[in-house]
Amino acid sequence: MRSPAEHAATTLLSAATAHVVTPSASARGTPSGLGPATIGGLPAHPLIVHVPVVLIPLASLALVLAAVWPAARRKLSWFTPTLALVALASVPLATESGEWLSGQMRFTPLIEEHEELAEGLLIWIAGLAVWALLVFGLDTWEQRKGLELRSPLRRGIAVATVVGALALSAGSVTQIYLVGESGAGAVWTGTAAGR
């Protein structure tokens, strides 16, 4: 007798393979070696996408906290840029595994929309990672120089840091949401669960 987890995995795999077609040797999305195409016999994309889906909002939150709250910036220190860089590295892995998976399936307008939104994500998260490095660098420089918030130049830098962090965080989180929503729509539209 199968466990509920095995039953759920079999049901999801059956739903996913209902759309699978046999690809030709020149099918779109042939893996380039950037990441695995499958994990444990299952397509890797549904598993890998959870890394940026979790890390991008966390990196965004850490960046906003670091930009707005000096005490948090000192506590988070190197953690914020490291988290943002790991989130940045996860995006090409998710994209590559998704391209491989789409090469195994019938190409639909929903998949095309999902791919286009995913391509725009890299720009947002790259900006977020650069800004996190900038905030970390500015804080390190300020601590070494012993600068305070009293000077007009320092206040201007502080405002620009906060505005940039808020804009890049909002853009990154919005984009990852749109990518995820379109991916879910591409998978579930037309299935018994999506009706």
Side-chain angles (χ1 to χ4, degrees), residues 45 49 52-53 56-57 109-122 124 169-187 189:
H45 185 65
V49 296
V53 163
I56 290 173
L110 293 173
I111 292 174
E112 183 178 15
E113 176 189 359
H114 177 62
E115 286 182 352
E116 288 173 6
L117 287 168
E119 288 171 6
L121 179 61
L122 190 59
W124 282 107
S169 295
S172 296
V173 170
T174 300
Q175 191 70 18
I176 193 70
Y177 170 79
L178 293 173
V179 172
E181 184 69 20
S182 68
V187 169
T189 300

Side-chain angles (χ1 to χ4, degrees), residues 112-182:
E112 183 178 15
E113 176 189 359
H114 177 62
E115 286 182 352
E116 288 173 6
L117 287 168
E119 288 171 6
L121 179 61
L122 190 59
I123 295 167
W124 282 107
I125 189 59
L128 186 88
V130 168
W131 206 259
L133 287 167
L134 177 70
V135 169
F136 174 68
L138 281 172
D139 188 57
T140 303
W141 181 71
E142 287 174 349
Q143 286 181 20
R144 286 190 182 152
K145 298 287 185 181
L147 297 178
E148 294 187 21
L149 192 60
R150 294 185 194 132
S151 75
L153 175 62
R154 178 58 192 104
R155 278 188 295 232
I157 290 172
V159 168
T161 299
V162 170
V163 169
L166 288 171
L168 289 166
S169 295
S172 296
V173 170
T174 300
Q175 191 70 18
I176 193 70
Y177 170 79
L178 293 173
V179 172
E181 184 69 20
S182 68

Side-chain angles (χ1 to χ4, degrees), residues 16-42:
T17 56
H19 297 293
V20 174
V21 295
T22 305
S24 65
S26 63
R28 293 178 343 95
T30 303
S32 69
L34 185 60
T38 61
I39 297 174
L42 296 173

Side-chain angles (χ1 to χ4, degrees), residues 59-129:
S60 297
L61 177 62
L63 177 59
V64 169
L65 284 174
V68 172
W69 190 11
R73 181 168 50 244
R74 287 180 184 85
K75 288 200 185 293
L76 292 171
S77 182
W78 55 268
F79 177 75
T80 301
T82 302
L83 184 61
L85 289 170
V86 172
L88 174 62
S90 72
V91 171
L93 292 173
T95 303
E96 183 67 24
S97 66
E99 288 176 358
W100 177 85
L101 182 59
S102 73
Q104 311 305 306
M105 301 172 69
R106 285 190 311 258
F107 196 66
T108 67
L110 293 173
I111 292 174
E112 183 178 15
E113 176 189 359
H114 177 62
E115 286 182 352
E116 288 173 6
L117 287 168
E119 288 171 6
L121 179 61
L122 190 59
I123 295 167
W124 282 107
I125 189 59
L128 186 88

